[in-house]
Amino acid sequence: MSRGKAASALDLPRPDGLDASKQQGAYAALRGAILNRQLPAGGRLPSTRSLAERWQVSRGTLEAAFERLHSEGYVQRVAGSGTRVCAVIPEQFMAAPTVAQAPRRAVVPDQPDAGVQSHVPFVARRPDASLFDLKTWARCISRGLLSVGPGVLEAAHPAGLPQLRAQIADYLRSYRGLQCEADEVIVTTGIRHALDLIARTLLKSGDTACVEDPGYPPARRLFSLAGAHIHAVPVTAEGLDTDQLPDTARLAYVTPAHQAPLGMTLSVSRRLALLDWAARAEAWVVEDDYDSEYNYNAAPLAALKSLDSSDRVIYCGSFNKNLFPGLRVGFMVVPKALRPALLRTLQLTGHSVGAGDQSGLVEFLGSGAFVRHLRASRQAYQARRDALLECLGGQFRVSGQQAGLHFVLWLPAGVEEPDFCTRAAAVGLTLQPLGTFCRDARLPPAVIIGYTALTLAQIRFHGRALAKLLMAA
């Protein structure tokens, strides 16, 4: 055996975690042996050849671990002398603690809102990022930045890039029936950001904010944080019950295209009554148009804002609901009377969208790629919805399936939401009870079924499991 390559007399045990991650496991075991003085300062490590035989891993794996230890200063590798532990080890790594250390607190992972997650049946009520053309997006980002030049990286545009606001206004005129101009658009990081700005700007302690019941929980929480009293307004088959709106309210938040979570469309008569209430009460209406692009049976109604002759509606939209969740870009179409105050709040809070995403969206919208993506994703989501409904076989009542990213599944008589969700979890299904969306409303038991960020294979497999669970209920 060549000089300096003899195995160490110390028989290092094979690490327990070596099978899961060989290189990391080898590195961690050797580093631990050094820091615990199992391998003393100046001592020689076993050769990679002998240690590979002992630990039953490849020599290349150990070479990588040795090189990492060398780069971090734990060992020296000298030709002809092998690999030796460095003489100097930071003292804080070797000193024994003077008192017993408290056990580490378990880390509680952050919970996404209402448990919404991609590829998890059935809380996948979000866009499927795999349908998004990343190559096209990369080209749009590059072209967008190059077209606007370095000035966009220096200039401040609190309301958003003028080019993007113009493209958004053009899209809304063509597809949502809004007669708006670029100067009415404010770019946000999403609908929640818009609601936060609205709450901070329009509400003060003691004001009344009306919300749908059942409805979108973050809207209730954001309005409450501003000090507002929350007035829950019941939802009927025609949408928000406008007869229940108090004239003393400061604003009303609605989801007219596809009510969140029940899924009905606010009727035309209710829309007109809502606008009449806003004008009479000098209140504001916040229209959350979160998934209006996805209507599977017919063309959607034009936005509520399109009927707004008194300029009392704040229209909110978001690109992360139809492109990909990580794209934090949304927008508001703001009544002229509110624009200065909302912009002041936006500048004060400092939330703004990066120039790269904005300039990329300018190209994505202007090239027609956005509309093409909507068309393709709408077809994919409709196919997924149809496959899931086929699994359920028409035996169970659903509602809201005509549009959007989810529908409501009403449970059989006598079945309670918590019990059903617990039994679903046991077979790998994550379900959202309808009750979590309610404030005062008392509705029959139901669960929310999100399907758009699932593959067809997932839908068919887990859809059959869901149907079997329902049959056994």
Side-chain angles (χ1 to χ4, degrees):
M1 186 172 290
S2 62
R3 181 185 173 196
K5 297 298 183 181
S8 167
L10 178 63
D11 186 15
L12 293 174
R14 189 177 192 273
D16 293 335
L18 204 56
D19 292 328
S21 177
K22 291 182 171 58
Q23 184 178 322
Q24 176 63 26
Y27 162 80
L30 291 168
R31 178 179 178 272
I34 292 169
L35 295 178
N36 294 328
R37 292 184 175 178
Q38 287 178 273
L39 290 173
R44 189 164 56 192
L45 272 69
S47 70
T48 54
R49 184 188 303 277
S50 62
L51 197 57
E53 293 175 356
R54 189 178 308 147
W55 284 3
Q56 297 181 337
V57 296
S58 72
R59 191 176 177 187
T61 294
L62 290 173
E63 281 290 343
F66 275 42
E67 278 303 311
R68 182 174 173 187
L69 291 168
H70 173 65
S71 68
E72 294 177 357
Y74 291 101
V75 300
Q76 290 178 329
R77 309 196 77 182
V78 180
S81 184
T83 301
R84 293 181 180 273
V85 178
C86 287
V88 179
I89 301 295
E91 193 65 31
Q92 65 268 28
F93 287 116
M94 297 188 297
T98 56
V99 295
Q101 295 183 352
R104 293 186 62 183
R105 177 179 59 84
V107 177
V108 180
D110 292 335
Q111 295 297 320
D113 173 61
V116 177
Q117 301 173 64
S118 298
H119 311 302
V120 177
F122 284 101
V123 290
R125 51 183 180 91
R126 63 194 318 185
D128 185 355
S130 68
L131 298 176
F132 187 70
D133 188 342
L134 284 174
K135 291 183 178 179
T136 297
W137 178 244
R139 288 193 295 268
C140 287
I141 291 279
S142 177
R143 286 199 300 263
L145 284 173
L146 291 173
S147 66
V148 295
V152 73
L153 304 179
E154 303 170 357
H157 297 284
L161 291 183
Q163 303 94 320
L164 177 57
R165 287 152 48 207
Q167 288 285 358
I168 291 171
D170 182 65
Y171 170 77
L172 295 174
R173 285 193 297 268
S174 300
Y175 292 94
R176 297 302 291 131
L178 272 66
Q179 297 305 310
C180 64
E181 301 299 333
D183 65 348
E184 299 172 69
V185 176
I186 294 177
V187 178
T188 68
T189 62
I191 288 177
R192 290 197 202 190
H193 181 206
L195 295 178
D196 184 43
L197 290 172
I198 291 166
R200 291 171 185 263
T201 305
L202 297 185
L203 295 174
K204 61 181 184 296
S205 181
D207 282 347
T208 297
C210 297
V211 297
E212 298 166 318
D213 191 16
Y216 183 48
R220 294 199 300 262
R221 292 197 288 268
L222 287 168
F223 298 154
S224 293
L225 285 174
H229 166 71
I230 304 302
H231 182 81
V233 180
V235 174
T236 71
E238 292 186 67
L240 183 80
D241 186 353
T242 50
D243 291 336
Q244 304 297 318
L245 290 168
D247 286 345
T248 55
R250 178 67 169 158
L251 63 79
Y253 166 83
V254 293
T255 53
H258 187 237
Q259 200 275 332
L262 295 180
M264 73 280 291
T265 299
L266 187 64
S267 68
V268 173
S269 60
R270 291 276 177 92
R271 291 174 184 235
L272 295 174
L274 177 59
L275 294 173
D276 180 66
W277 166 83
R280 184 179 68 253
E282 296 185 346
W284 304 100
V285 175
V286 181
E287 177 180 12
D288 183 345
D289 205 34
Y290 69 104
D291 66 357
S292 63
E293 291 85 1
Y294 297 110
N295 197 292
Y296 309 120
N297 297 346
L301 285 175
L304 173 68
K305 178 71 175 172
S306 67
L307 302 172
D308 181 26
S309 59
S310 299
D311 206 20
R312 307 298 303 183
V313 176
I314 307 167
Y315 177 92
C316 302
S318 176
F319 290 107
N320 67 311
K321 286 293 186 183
N322 40 47
L323 296 182
F324 57 93
L327 179 65
R328 304 309 306 174
V329 185
F331 53 89
M332 296 187 287
V333 178
V334 178
K336 288 183 171 58
L338 296 180
R339 187 173 185 273
L342 283 167
L343 281 177
R344 284 195 297 271
T345 304
L346 178 58
Q347 289 177 290
L348 179 63
T349 57
H351 290 287
S352 58
V353 179
D357 283 343
Q358 290 196 63
S359 58
L361 275 170
V362 171
E363 289 291 324
F364 201 73
L365 288 163
S367 67
F370 179 64
V371 173
R372 290 194 296 273
H373 172 80
L374 289 181
R375 187 179 302 118
S377 58
R378 187 184 298 117
Q379 292 173 351
Y381 298 158
Q382 182 170 356
R384 296 172 191 188
R385 179 206 65 172
D386 292 346
L388 183 51
L389 292 176
E390 184 179 351
C391 289
L392 297 178
Q395 301 177 62
F396 309 101
R397 180 189 166 208
V398 298
S399 62
Q401 74 276 20
Q402 78 286 349
L405 310 178
H406 73 275
F407 59 75
V408 178
L409 172 63
W410 300 91
L411 299 180
V415 177
E416 297 299 325
E417 291 175 358
D419 178 60
F420 188 78
C421 291
T422 298
R423 287 188 284 121
V427 295
L429 305 180
T430 304
L431 302 178
Q432 294 174 275
L434 177 60
T436 61
F437 294 82
C438 297
R439 179 183 166 102
D440 300 324
R442 295 293 180 265
L443 298 174
V447 290
I448 310 301
I449 302 295
Y451 55 87
T452 47
L454 299 173
T455 65
L456 279 172
Q458 282 182 303
I459 284 174
R460 292 187 178 111
F461 179 81
H462 295 291
R464 288 192 291 268
L466 178 60
K468 184 178 179 180
L469 199 64
L470 288 163
M471 292 293 292

